[in-house]
Amino acid sequence: MSETTMTLPGIVITGASGRMGQMLVRTVSASNQARLVACLERPGHAWIGQDVGIAMGGPVLGVTVSDDPLEAFSKAQAVIDFTAPQATVEFAALAAQARAVHVIGTTGLEAAHLARLSAAARHAVIVRAGNMSLGVNLLVQLTRKVAEALDADFDIEVVEAHHRHKVDAPSGTALMLGEAAAAGRGVNLAEVSDSGRDGITGARGRGRIGFAAIRGGDIVGEHDVIFAGEGERIVLRHVATDRTIFARGALRAALWGQDREPGEYSMADVLGL
């Protein structure tokens, strides 16, 4: 490794064996702006002790998969984390201790998890988003603008589709869009949200924001925000066909976070939206 390469930000990938983990490993390894310094998996995982490139069925990458986050974070400038809520909050404390930028794409986070992330952000940079793509973050901004312009005579529905393996619903992106719509209307999403309709539900309440989730096949991610009025509909849509867009966005966030003040940031901050 050249002296120039050694000065590039070192990045740790958590959950390296997962769909996003493997995409992140490939993206960081191929980047000329960062270097892959560690890959993590849970204790007992079959990849532990293997070179991550070999474990992924490719060439040697010179990084051995570990189950020791403390040691991994000590040599990193950033951690990219698409795992599970409990793991993410534990990683956040360790990343803060190491003063490493923590880029979080984990979804399904609840209030208690978010409180722990806020505590960690007092000591280090956290960039968290339900979706790391430029297109989705533009869609979030557009959703807020349209919601500001239309009154509650227009019903808002957020419809999302993902692959059969996704474990949470609505998706983190759908919730981002719902939050944007609620902010545009000046209301609290928790007070106007409708999801999981089934059976005799009665008429749709005025001003409610609805969610519907589709799961099947290998769908990467599709999101529609529907503003349905009398005689007309406005539909805002984003379709992802390749997970690389999320990995590129996460890497961009990790690089952007270098030398920032500790705190919580979003992809809107990273993209200057």
Side-chain angles (χ1 to χ4, degrees):
M1 186 176 293
S2 70
E3 185 175 337
T4 300
T5 301
M6 286 298 293
T7 65
L8 297 176
I11 296 182
V12 176
I13 305 301
T14 65
S17 72
R19 289 167 179 251
M20 273 306 304
Q22 293 189 49
M23 184 60 69
L24 287 162
V25 169
R26 294 188 185 99
T27 299
V28 174
S29 296
S31 173
N32 60 7
Q33 297 179 287
R35 56 197 171 91
L36 184 67
V37 296
C39 290
L40 291 172
E41 260 303 340
R42 62 188 180 276
H45 193 279
W47 284 23
I48 301 297
Q50 294 189 58
D51 180 275
V52 69
I54 297 296
M56 289 168 51
V60 171
L61 293 179
V63 175
T64 301
V65 180
S66 166
D67 61 2
D68 185 352
L70 188 61
E71 192 275 334
F73 292 1
S74 69
K75 57 188 176 185
Q77 283 70 56
V79 177
I80 303 181
D81 177 16
F82 285 69
T83 54
Q86 189 56 41
T88 290
V89 295
E90 292 171 6
F91 289 143
L94 295 174
Q97 183 178 325
R99 301 299 188 264
V101 175
H102 190 186
V103 178
I104 299 172
T106 302
T107 57
L109 295 162
E110 299 178 353
H113 302 127
L114 296 177
R116 291 178 64 182
L117 295 182
S118 294
R122 291 199 290 266
H123 307 286
V125 172
I126 290 181
V127 181
R128 183 177 65 84
N131 194 298
M132 299 283 174
S133 85
L134 171 61
V136 161
N137 282 278
L138 286 171
L139 179 61
V140 168
Q141 302 300 315
L142 290 171
T143 297
R144 179 169 183 158
K145 286 289 186 184
V146 174
E148 285 176 352
L150 301 176
D151 63 22
D153 287 339
F154 279 79
D155 300 321
I156 302 176
E157 293 284 316
V158 181
V159 182
E160 53 102 342
H162 284 88
H163 54 87
R164 64 166 64 95
H165 301 291
K166 187 167 178 61
V167 299
D168 59 309
S171 69
T173 303
L175 292 172
M176 284 173 62
L177 294 167
E179 291 283 3
R185 284 199 168 162
V187 297
N188 185 336
L189 180 62
E191 296 174 358
V192 298
S193 176
D194 277 339
S195 60
R197 299 188 187 103
D198 187 31
I200 307 299
T201 61
R204 189 188 199 282
R206 188 175 191 273
R208 307 294 291 181
I209 297 176
F211 293 88
I214 297 165
R215 296 289 177 267
D218 61 354
I219 301 169
V220 173
E222 300 177 5
H223 294 85
D224 293 278
V225 185
I226 303 168
F227 297 84
E230 294 291 334
E232 61 182 335
R233 288 194 307 278
I234 300 165
V235 181
L236 306 178
R237 183 163 218 234
H238 181 269
V239 177
T241 58
D242 187 341
R243 285 183 181 77
T244 305
I245 63 172
F246 310 131
R248 287 198 301 261
L251 176 57
R252 182 169 176 173
L255 297 173
W256 177 90
Q258 302 301 309
D259 300 321
R260 301 279 170 180
E261 290 296 316
E264 295 183 85
Y265 299 92
S266 70
M267 281 303 290
D269 296 313
V270 175
L271 299 169
L273 297 176

